[in-house]
Amino acid sequence: MPSLRNILEKAVSMRATDIHVCADAPLLFRMGGSLVPITKEPLSAEEARAISLEALSDDDRHDLETHLDHDLVVANPHGRFRINVGYFQGKVGAVIRVLPKHPRVLAELKLPEVVQQLARKPKGIVLVTGSTSQGKTTTLAAMVDDVNANLQRHIITIEDPIEYVHTNKLSIVRQREAGKDTRSFQEGLRAALRQDPNVILIGEMRDYETIKIALTAAETGVLVLSTLHVISVDKILERLLSYAPPSDEGNMRYLLADSLLGVIHQELLPAAGGGKRIACEVLLANDAVRNILRKRGAYQLKDVVTTGRQQGMVSMKQSIEGLLQERAITPDVAQSVLAQYS
């Protein structure tokens, strides 16, 4: 049976992005978007459990048995890895994400220039949106790295877990992991406001209290960067309001309208030559957007993106057409994405 350490080393050498440890299936690496068997024989339930638990401390194992899932990040000489261990039909397995050693730079991601402009704003809130595994964390890390490399700022991140480790450049970057360095996103965010921040990164907007504090911070002079799970830019208001009690809906609308700088909505697509490319839609908060946010009718945000090209906005159609002209993606991939936005 291979050890977890050997599996991680092999995944890095083969440039795998994910590792699947599953009982009654071979060890699988995700490479180029496909799951590739690495072992000839399926792992037994005992082997899958042993590999999955290898990196867990006694406290981690207790948490797994209590909640039936456990997340952690491990680091070794070969790299950093985000591990989720859980029960699947009564058997323990794991999914492991191979994390880059350093944040990507914005130029590598080939995002629109307006993304860099948003990252360097002095105050307000920028949301990176999309469904799961669309590169949102990678984009946020690249935005933080851009600020870190080019401006003298105090940057505080609150994450769960910390995926990208930043080193100080022109800025000071202080990273806090919820549950380890601070008890929760809310407590970490409240503390950050007392720590002379210029930029606060919140790994995810996941509850009403965090959202409210973040919007207030953005309105009062801090640049806030965060992610939100939505399927399109016109759903941001609906998603944020879903966390708020009915009595506070109006207040949240006005806070968002006053503090929002922009939304970067991402789709991570298979590239024609291998790897991945980001297609993105960019909404910038102008007077029309603020009026829409204060009232009902968020579906109109899509129309604003379409007509706001001269202001730097980018529609998904425009982004996909650019990737096609570059021959970065295939027509089939383009068509499958555009069908969702028609």
Side-chain angles (χ1 to χ4, degrees):
M1 179 184 73
S3 69
L4 177 62
R5 184 181 182 87
N6 289 339
I7 292 170
L8 298 180
E9 181 180 358
K10 188 168 186 175
V12 171
S13 69
M14 295 179 67
R15 299 186 178 181
T17 59
D18 297 271
I19 303 162
H20 290 256
V21 181
C22 180
D24 306 319
L27 181 69
L28 299 164
F29 286 179
R30 186 173 293 280
M31 301 171 61
S34 300
L35 286 176
V36 179
I38 301 302
T39 57
K40 292 181 180 180
E41 299 297 326
L43 297 171
S44 68
E46 293 75 18
E47 288 173 329
R49 179 183 179 88
I51 293 169
S52 300
L53 297 182
E54 189 175 319
L56 273 60
S57 66
D58 289 342
D59 287 343
D60 292 335
R61 295 186 187 204
H62 176 73
D63 185 71
L64 172 65
E65 297 305 322
T66 302
H67 299 101
L68 306 182
D69 281 289
H70 185 75
D71 293 299
L72 72 156
V73 171
V74 300
N76 64 30
H78 305 292
R80 300 178 72 252
F81 308 87
R82 185 184 70 200
I83 304 176
N84 172 267
V85 183
Y87 278 87
F88 304 87
Q89 293 181 296
K91 301 171 184 177
V92 176
V95 179
I96 304 168
R97 170 64 54 87
V98 181
L99 302 175
K101 291 185 178 180
H102 306 287
R104 305 278 295 276
V105 299
L106 285 174
E108 280 183 80
L109 301 181
K110 299 184 179 180
L111 292 164
E113 187 177 337
V114 69
V115 174
Q116 184 182 69
Q117 295 169 9
L118 288 170
R120 298 188 186 186
K121 294 286 187 181
K123 64 179 181 179
I125 188 164
V126 178
L127 296 174
V128 180
T129 66
S131 55
T132 304
S133 300
Q134 298 303 315
K136 299 186 295 297
T137 301
T138 299
T139 294
L140 276 187
M143 294 173 76
V144 167
D145 182 72
D146 183 80
V147 175
N148 187 20
N150 293 286
L151 301 172
Q152 293 177 307
R153 298 284 190 265
H154 181 205
I155 303 167
I156 299 173
T157 79
I158 307 162
E159 305 168 74
D160 182 22
I162 294 171
E163 294 192 15
Y164 292 89
V165 176
H166 296 271
T167 55
N168 295 335
K169 298 177 183 176
L170 284 183
S171 292
I172 296 173
V173 186
R174 286 173 161 158
Q175 295 180 261
R176 308 190 76 188
E177 185 166 318
K180 291 185 178 179
D181 301 311
T182 180
R183 288 195 292 184
S184 67
F185 276 95
Q186 301 99 305
E187 293 192 24
L189 185 50
R190 287 195 193 95
L193 296 178
R194 301 190 296 271
Q195 294 165 349
D196 187 34
N198 299 109
V199 180
I200 299 175
L201 180 147
I202 307 167
E204 183 183 344
M205 296 282 217
R206 57 173 63 171
D207 60 76
Y208 172 65
E209 196 62 27
T210 298
I211 292 167
K212 189 173 181 179
I213 299 169
L215 291 176
T216 302
E219 189 184 31
T220 55
V222 176
L223 178 66
V224 177
L225 306 173
S226 191
T227 68
L228 193 66
H229 291 286
V230 294
I231 59 173
S232 61
V233 294
D234 57 327
K235 301 296 183 183
I236 57 166
L237 186 58
E238 179 182 324
R239 173 53 61 89
L240 289 172
L241 291 179
S242 72
Y243 293 105
S247 60
D248 211 11
E249 179 178 316
N251 183 46
M252 183 170 284
R253 283 178 176 275
Y254 275 84
L255 277 174
L256 183 62
D258 290 343
S259 60
L260 184 69
L261 292 172
V263 179
I264 304 155
H265 183 75
Q266 296 193 174
E267 297 278 354
L268 193 59
L269 308 178
K276 300 283 186 178
R277 287 293 300 271
I278 296 173
C280 70
E281 191 160 65
V282 182
L283 169 73
L284 300 177
N286 57 17
D287 290 341
V289 169
R290 293 188 178 93
N291 286 333
I292 291 168
L293 294 176
R294 291 188 183 105
K295 304 171 184 177
R296 296 189 181 275
Y299 62 89
Q300 296 173 311
L301 292 174
K302 297 286 284 185
D303 296 332
V304 175
V305 171
T306 302
T307 59
R309 187 168 182 170
Q310 289 186 333
Q311 294 175 288
M313 299 195 208
V314 181
S315 69
M316 187 58 71
K317 182 180 179 183
Q318 180 186 342
S319 180
I320 291 292
E321 288 175 347
L323 291 172
L324 274 175
Q325 290 176 3
E326 196 183 324
R327 296 186 177 180
I329 59 173
T330 65
D332 286 347
V333 168
Q335 186 175 359
S336 68
V337 176
L338 290 176
Q340 304 171 41
Y341 289 84
S342 57

